[in-house]
Amino acid sequence: MDHLKARNFEQLADTLAPDAVARFLLPRGAQETAGADAIAHRFEGWFGGATSFVVLSTGNEPVGGRSLLHWRFSLSRDGRSTEVIDQVAFVDMGPDGIYRLDLLCSGFLPAAEATAGAALACSVPKAASA
């Protein structure tokens, strides 16, 4: 997480197993990338060229034998408008580093839209009594 927040993509690649596989569920559809350098390059393509880059939140917690990572960044890719992106990833670690990454991405959202009406209410119906 630290290398991603610092946009140090070379160091990010070093945390991945050489034969790592990443599956990305992006707004435009599912994609898969294999290999540490290729995966790190995907992140560099998303975040490396930003002229403004602010870490809004991050998290890391265990879920069974996996780790749940999440991050929210505010950035400007064009030097004028500000966007927000949220990503959530489940990762599997091995002796050579992260060998599997399953990521869900919000896409780049205009900052005003990303924060307006952000709350979502969910309810679960009660089970019927017998």
Side-chain angles (χ1 to χ4, degrees):
M1 182 72 71
D2 291 337
H3 301 307
L4 180 58
K5 291 187 316 188
R7 296 190 296 167
N8 187 333
F9 304 106
E10 194 171 300
Q11 292 276 340
L12 177 64
D14 291 343
T15 68
L16 301 166
D19 58 348
V21 174
R23 296 184 304 173
F24 303 108
L25 185 53
L26 307 173
R28 64 180 171 268
Q31 299 179 2
E32 187 170 300
T33 301
D37 290 335
I39 294 167
H41 186 56
R42 291 294 304 265
F43 285 98
E44 185 173 11
W46 292 329
F47 307 125
T51 57
S52 169
F53 185 83
V54 178
V55 177
L56 299 176
S57 66
T58 63
N60 180 352
E61 58 187 277
V63 178
R66 305 185 89 187
S67 291
L68 168 63
L69 309 175
H70 55 90
W71 51 89
R72 175 182 274 195
F73 301 143
S74 172
L75 63 150
S76 177
R77 296 181 295 162
D78 63 8
R80 293 184 305 274
S81 60
T82 302
E83 298 170 302
V84 173
I85 187 168
D86 279 277
Q87 294 183 327
V88 177
F90 287 92
V91 299
D92 295 315
M93 294 288 297
D96 294 330
I98 296 170
Y99 65 88
R100 181 172 169 175
L101 182 143
D102 297 316
L103 182 142
L104 172 65
C105 179
S106 68
F108 293 97
L109 304 172
E113 288 179 24
T115 57
L120 174 65
C122 296
S123 63
V124 178
K126 287 186 174 184
S129 302

